[in-house]
Structures are given as structure tokens and as C-alpha cells.
Amino acid sequence: MKKLLIGLGNEYCGDDAIGIIIAKQLKEINHDCDLKIGGLTAFDLLEAIDGYDLVVIVDALHTPDSTAGEIYELKIEDFKGESDQSYIHGMNLASALDIGSRLKLSMPGSIKIFGIGIRHKCDYGDRLDPDLEKSLPELVLKINRIIMHVKEN
Amino acid sequence: MYKEISIDPVTRLEGHGKISIFLDDKGDVAHACLQIPELRGYERFAIGRLAEEMPRITETICGVCPTAHHFAATKALDALYGVEPTPAARKIREFMYNTFMFEDHNLHFYFLGGPDFIVGPDAPAAQRNVLGVIAKVGLEIGKKVIDIRKRTRSIIQTLGGRVVHPVNGLPGGVSKGVTKENQAEWKKTAEDAVEFAKFTLQAFDDIVLKNKTYVDLIVGDIYKHRTYYMGLVDDNNKVNFYDGWVRVVDPDGKEFAKFKGKDYQNHISEGVETWTYIKFPYLKNVGWKGFVDGKDSGVYRVAPLGRLNAADGMATPIAQEHYERFYKTLGGKPVHNTLALHWARVIEAMQAAETMVKLINDPEILDPNIRNMDFKIPKVGIGVIEAPRGTLYHHYETDEQGRMTGANLIVATVNNSAAINMSIEKAARSLIKGGNVNDGLLNMIEMAFRAYDPCFACATHTMPGQIPIEINIHCADGAIVKTIKN
């Protein structure tokens, strides 16, 4: 089984780096996974996931209803209707997969998407909010348990 | 008394922006402007950091054009430490950079600005996107676009360490060389890139230039401004994306200035307005006269149209043929028609592909000597490069330990910010009459700035990601009378 960890975010925008940090730490536990990090566009994602069986994506999440430090497991269906396919940054994973399937590219059998609730959308700096930093080990373990379950099945 | 229409934020460009259109009581456009509400604090954020980190820090300004920032920063470090890259390192940088320009220009043509022409400016919003393009050009072509993009980005991945946010730029060189195996594979990719560029130019010809309505749109007055133009040229005044002289021509096409990037502050000043975070660079020796055209106005334009106008030709033969046809078709130099940017862009993609072929076939690119480490004590370093969206300046000042004490970035699109405002206002005035506003008209206004392929420096989104689009129409007392959202 070919596996890919993707950490999305900006390492210089405070809590927006959480996806990258968690993906890197998951890689340390899961040596058999490949890793991609950074500010990936929908097309970058489309190219990145080609040829993988399992893809795990982690990113920061900030909505009016989200709680800082919570893990939100999202599905592709959550993104449909939220995507604007008229420009690169309006296109999200749902758009990328839609394009991929229309072009008959090979798509992963399983995609797990995790949003980590953050308090501050984009503060400049390369440090996390202290409370978020404290909850990091637990976040990594929780997500890893879910990944292990998928691998075993 | 004004009513306001806002397009907030704008579709199909990088970064966040809000267009506000103010109508008078007759429903005609009194004024329009583009506001950038995003604050990019990298210049402040850099202070206190080691200058050698800047190529990796500044490339996170944008997820679409990180390579431009990476190499502008690397060149600034060359200047800062008083070191020239080795010949092999320079060729590797140029090869990687032209590969990036090729794939970025194709991204814009097929996925960003292209839908305006390929699908049509009056097509429903749901079709004016990449899927509409694929439906028009065919599935096989869609696959070819993805394939050539993947293969060219693989070059950047191999040489740069990462395709998004590369890490190979170092003062005096690069961190990774080209092997014989790389060379064999990339020769084929470069040749295919040339063939693909030919296909794209033909597609532009078939879909756009043979359509009288589109040509009338390109040459029409709605999208026309007589401004100065700026771009990098080599010693023969031919377009160069990586290095050379900054050349400026006036609205009549006459050379106005030619300088090395380190002297940019003698030629460019940056104005500010209270209603937006973006600055408005202008030619210092002409002066700021407001958002107006003409020889007496210091407004200038960059990016593909700016580069072609500022140069005396392209540096590669096939691109040069198309350059000559471009000016013959559009009535001579300089071309002031904003929508011609799309055509200029695909001509540049051809030069990028031809340059890829030239460099990867150069035996010197295999030389393992890829780093010059004869460093001097740092103080000031300025790096200039042509990003896809225009001339990009990185200016660093440090203490003797190489710790940043100051930074100034003129990010490519910023050079065009005044012209973008002017283009939006002119298009709005021409198209909106008597308060008549519909989606098609608003898209045609957005076409005015999308042609610039603007990148207002965005970071990644949190998930789920979307930039909401909201159009607010305000009556004179500020109340919203109508809102259109996506």
C-alpha cells in the first residue's frame, strides 16, 4: 500500500503551520509514508496524490463554529459546493478530484482529511499558540490511531 | 451622490482583493478602485532573521510563484555577500527558472485567464473555468496540459528539493547539480515543452485571433492605456527572465531609462493611498500624477506586455517570429492593449521552452562546480528577476553578521497596481450605464485585471478553503440595496 502524508499551511503564519507540524510528526512514526508539506494548490494536490492508495491531509481549520485544539475529520462531500473552479485558490480538494476523475487519472482509494481547530487565522511568526502547542502530542496520537485503523483494514 | 457596487473578493486571481464601483445618480460609473485588504508583513517579519533564510522565508509569500521569490532572494544574497554564482550554477538556476516560467504561464493561460477567451467572456460563470476549457479543447488536450505541467514541475522538484517552496538557491550557487541521467530525461521534456508551446500558440490563433469579436475586444478602447513599460533585457535588449538590465520605455516606445537592479531606488518611488494596503510604484523621474495615462504620468506596467514592449525582441527564434507577428497584428510598438497580455504570455512561454532546450543541451550544465564561496562582509544586497507577473525586487540590508536590519520588496504585481486600478475603472465606465449590471458585465470588468495575472501574495487557506465573492451595491447614504454572492 502506497501512503502519503500531506501537511498544508504556511510555516511563517503562526497556527497556520499546524498541519505541517503534525504531518512531519506523523512521518516520524510512520516511516513507510511519503510526506509533502507547504502551500499546495488544488493542482499541486492532484499531482501529489497520483499513484497513492492512502492519502492523509492535515490542515488548520478556522470557522465560526470551530474550537481551537479540536480535530475535525472531514469528507470530500464537505467541500462540494464550497469550491469555485474559476480560479486556483477557489479550487479545493473536491475540485481537484473532480478534474482528476474527468481526466480519468488514477485517484487514491482512501483519503482522510483532518482539520485542526485554531484560534488565530494568520499571525506572523514561526511559533504556535502555546495552548495548541501543548495539545500537539495528543493530536498526533489521535490522528495516528485513525491512520493505523485504515492501514489494518 | 454615489451608489457602490463591490466585487469582493475578485475571482480567478491569487490573493484577496475587493473591487468597489461607485455609481452616480444616473447609474453611470463615477469611480472604481481595487482595494487590497490583505496585509503582507514579510518586510517587518524579516528583521532580525539571518539573511540566508530569506530564500526559504520569502517563497512562502505565495504558493503559485514561490520560485520567483526564491531566486530573487538568492540573487539578493549573491549581491549581499559579493559573490557571483559559478557558470554551471547560473545555468542550472536559469534552466530551473525558465522551466518555472513555462509551467506558470501555461497554468494562467489554460486555467486562470484563458477561460475568458477559450470559453468566452459571456459564457455562464459555471463554465468559465478550467473544466469549461477542457470541454472546449478536448479531454486529450486536458490530459496533455496536466502531463506537461507534471513533467516540468518534476524538474523543479528534482533540482529544487521541493516543487512548491524550493530550497536549492544559495549565495554563490545552488545546492544540487544536474546529472547525465537528469540531462537525458530533461532534454525530452524541454523538447516536448517547445512542441506544447507551439500547440498553445496555435490554439490562441485558432480560438482567439480568428474570432473577430475577441480581436475587437483586444484592440478596443475599453482595455487600453498609454503607459510606460518596464522589463529585464539582456545586453542586446532582448527579453530575459532571469537577469540583465531593467529597461523602461515611454508610451511612444522610446527608451526612457536603463539601469541595473541595484539602482532601482533612483528610478522607482512607491506611493501609498489610505484606502488600500497595496503600494503604487511609479517612475520617480516622471512623478506621480494620479491614476492617469500618458507621458506625463509616472504609471508604468510590467509582466508579459511590459517585457515585450520594453525589449527590442525575444531571445529565441520561434518566440521572435511570434513577437514580430504580435506587433504587426496589433499596429506596431508599443502595444497598449491590456488584453494583449494573454498573447504576450504565450509568446513568453515559447521563449521559456526554447531556453530550456538550449540550457539543458549545454555541456557546462553538468559541471559539478556549482558553488562559489568567496564571500565578503555583507551589508546591502538587491536581487531583481522577472516573475511571471512582473519585475520583482528583493532589497536586503544586514549587519556584519548577516542578520537582517531592513528589507524592501516590490512584488511583481505591485508594479501594475496603479494600472490595474485604471483598467478596472475604465472598463467599468465603458460597460456599466444606467445602473445596468449583470454577471457578464462584471466578468468583463474582472477581465481587465485578470489579464495582468495578478498575484496579491496569498498564503494557504485554512480548510475548508474558499474565497467568498460578494458584490455589494450601495446607495448614496451607504446602505446596501443589493448583494450578490457566490
Side-chain angles (χ1 to χ4, degrees):
Chain A
M1 190 194 231
K2 277 199 77 183
K3 296 156 286 227
L4 176 66
L5 299 164
I6 299 179
L8 297 177
N10 187 323
E11 290 169 284
Y12 301 101
C13 280
D15 291 349
D16 197 55
I18 189 70
I20 293 175
I21 295 169
I22 288 178
K24 280 181 175 176
Q25 293 192 13
L26 284 169
K27 166 73 177 167
E28 286 171 19
I29 309 170
N30 298 276
H31 299 296
D32 57 342
C33 293
D34 292 334
L35 175 69
K36 274 209 181 333
I37 58 170
L40 306 182
T41 67
F43 281 101
D44 296 328
L45 286 174
L46 185 60
E47 286 162 11
I49 64 180
D50 181 29
Y52 287 94
D53 303 296
L54 167 64
V55 172
V56 176
I57 301 172
V58 190
D59 195 359
L61 183 138
H62 186 271
T63 74
D65 305 318
S66 62
T67 304
E70 285 290 313
I71 298 174
Y72 297 88
E73 191 173 346
L74 302 162
K75 297 184 182 44
I76 298 296
E77 288 69 36
D78 295 323
F79 296 92
K80 286 182 181 172
E82 292 289 332
S83 171
D84 183 343
Q85 293 181 350
S86 69
Y87 69 113
I88 278 287
H89 280 276
M91 297 174 72
N92 57 25
L93 183 61
S95 339
L97 294 179
D98 188 17
I99 292 167
S101 73
R102 286 183 200 227
L103 292 176
K104 299 183 183 10
L105 304 177
S106 91
M107 296 282 109
S110 180
I111 300 178
K112 306 297 282 182
I113 309 164
F114 298 99
I116 312 298
I118 63 170
R119 197 175 295 138
H120 306 291
K121 227 160 112 173
C122 186
D123 279 344
Y124 285 99
D126 49 11
R127 294 194 191 289
L128 294 177
D129 177 274
D131 291 336
L132 193 60
E133 178 129 33
K134 263 188 233 157
S135 58
L136 203 47
E138 193 192 334
L139 292 172
V140 172
L141 280 174
K142 274 185 183 170
I143 294 173
N144 193 57
R145 263 185 235 125
I146 299 171
I147 296 170
M148 293 308 297
H149 181 72
V150 173
K151 278 179 175 180
E152 281 154 17
N153 289 295
Chain B
M1 303 241 286
Y2 300 137
K3 296 180 185 177
E4 179 186 357
I5 301 173
S6 294
I7 306 172
D8 182 11
V10 299
T11 59
R12 220 184 304 141
L13 60 82
E14 309 311 316
H16 299 75
K18 171 183 172 180
I19 294 177
S20 294
I21 303 170
F22 297 90
L23 305 184
D24 60 25
D25 282 340
K26 289 184 223 161
D28 295 339
V29 173
H31 177 56
C33 61
L34 171 66
Q35 293 172 285
I36 307 300
E38 245 186 12
L39 177 64
R40 302 302 298 178
Y42 277 76
E43 287 153 328
R44 289 296 303 162
F45 179 64
I47 291 174
R49 296 193 170 259
L50 292 171
E52 66 204 62
E53 293 179 17
M54 293 302 285
R56 293 183 298 282
I57 291 175
T58 58
E59 66 185 2
T60 62
I61 286 172
C62 177
V64 177
C65 52
T67 310
H69 284 290
H70 186 70
F71 281 118
T74 303
K75 291 179 73 185
L77 293 186
D78 290 338
L80 187 70
Y81 290 103
V83 67
E84 285 291 325
T86 64
R90 173 159 174 151
K91 284 176 179 162
I92 290 168
R93 286 185 190 178
E94 281 202 75
F95 173 68
M96 185 170 153
Y97 200 72
N98 276 274
T99 305
F100 158 67
M101 287 293 282
F102 171 81
E103 66 95 358
D104 193 283
H105 274 357
N106 279 305
L107 177 75
H108 185 271
F109 177 73
Y110 284 99
F111 300 144
L112 295 175
D116 285 331
F117 287 107
I118 298 174
V119 183
D122 296 328
Q127 291 172 21
R128 274 186 274 114
N129 54 48
V130 58
L131 291 174
V133 170
I134 289 171
K136 188 94 181 219
V137 301
L139 200 59
E140 282 312 305
I141 302 305
K143 283 184 178 178
K144 260 193 186 173
V145 174
I146 301 286
D147 177 65
I148 197 71
R149 179 178 152 80
K150 189 173 179 179
R151 289 165 65 200
T152 47
R153 284 164 72 77
S154 167
I155 292 174
I156 298 170
Q157 165 86 44
T158 303
L159 283 174
R162 295 192 298 206
V163 63
V164 182
H165 314 312
V167 296
N168 64 322
L170 297 169
V174 290
S175 59
K176 190 167 178 171
V178 174
T179 65
K180 279 202 170 135
E181 291 71 28
N182 294 148
Q183 186 187 41
E185 180 190 342
W186 294 343
K187 275 184 185 180
K188 179 76 175 71
T189 304
E191 285 159 11
D192 289 346
V194 169
E195 291 309 307
F196 189 80
K198 283 181 188 170
F199 166 80
T200 303
L201 280 161
Q202 187 62 51
F204 191 86
D205 200 54
D206 292 337
I207 296 169
V208 182
L209 299 178
K210 288 180 178 150
N211 184 318
K212 188 178 181 306
T213 307
Y214 290 168
V215 174
D216 287 345
L217 207 55
I218 292 174
V219 301
D221 195 57
I222 294 175
Y223 298 112
K224 186 173 181 174
H225 288 287
R226 289 181 51 83
T227 62
Y228 287 76
Y229 298 94
M230 175 186 288
L232 277 181
V233 295
D234 63 21
D235 289 338
N236 299 314
N237 287 336
K238 301 296 168 87
V239 170
N240 193 298
F241 304 130
Y242 175 77
D243 200 21
W245 298 85
V246 181
R247 193 181 192 219
V248 179
V249 300
D250 70 16
D252 296 323
K254 227 175 111 192
E255 183 176 293
F256 176 77
K258 190 171 171 180
F259 55 92
K260 284 293 185 181
K262 65 179 178 60
D263 298 320
Y264 82 97
Q265 288 179 309
N266 296 338
H267 297 272
I268 301 171
S269 289
E270 296 177 80
V272 293
E273 295 284 338
T274 55
W275 40 267
T276 183
Y277 283 122
I278 202 168
K279 290 188 195 174
F280 298 101
Y282 61 95
L283 295 169
K284 199 172 186 172
N285 300 319
V286 178
W288 177 253
K289 310 290 167 50
F291 296 93
V292 292
D293 289 27
K295 217 163 174 174
D296 294 331
S297 166
V299 172
Y300 64 92
R301 296 200 273 181
V302 296
L305 187 63
R307 288 190 283 262
L308 266 62
N309 279 337
D312 288 344
M314 306 303 286
T316 57
I318 305 174
Q320 176 63 21
E321 277 175 33
H322 288 274
Y323 174 97
E324 288 167 15
R325 186 174 168 225
F326 175 84
Y327 285 107
K328 192 172 172 189
T329 304
L330 297 177
K333 286 191 78 175
V335 164
H336 295 296
N337 308 92
T338 305
L339 295 188
L341 268 158
H342 293 291
W343 192 358
R345 191 169 287 115
V346 294
I347 294 173
E348 285 197 332
M350 175 55 81
Q351 172 164 317
E354 291 180 277
T355 306
M356 283 168 67
V357 170
K358 180 181 161 197
L359 287 167
I360 198 59
N361 282 286
D362 187 329
E364 196 168 36
I365 208 168
L366 295 174
D367 189 334
N369 183 16
I370 55 174
R371 189 91 195 274
N372 176 1
M373 294 179 68
D374 184 23
F375 302 129
K376 318 286 183 299
I377 302 288
K379 193 172 176 192
V380 178
I382 297 170
V384 184
I385 208 163
E386 284 294 331
R389 295 152 187 87
T391 318
L392 172 59
Y393 298 84
H394 278 221
H395 174 175
Y396 305 153
E397 298 189 4
T398 74
D399 62 20
E400 289 190 351
Q401 274 69 52
R403 206 166 282 275
M404 300 284 290
T405 56
N408 187 38
L409 310 180
I410 302 183
V411 178
T413 291
V414 171
N415 294 286
N416 280 336
S417 54
I420 292 172
N421 269 274
M422 289 155 55
S423 292
I424 289 165
E425 178 161 315
K426 189 169 186 182
R429 277 184 197 279
S430 306
L431 294 165
I432 296 177
K433 304 282 184 196
N436 183 20
V437 178
N438 59 43
D439 186 43
L441 281 178
L442 288 171
N443 186 57
M444 288 184 74
I445 290 166
E446 289 185 57
M447 279 174 68
F449 72 81
R450 267 203 299 274
Y452 292 93
D453 184 16
C455 177
F456 298 116
C458 65
T460 54
H461 297 238
T462 57
M463 275 177 25
Q466 182 193 359
I467 299 178
I469 298 170
E470 186 171 283
I471 303 168
N472 289 321
I473 301 174
H474 297 262
C475 61
D477 65 7
I480 296 173
V481 295
K482 188 175 182 182
T483 297
I484 304 167
K485 286 184 189 181
N486 71 343

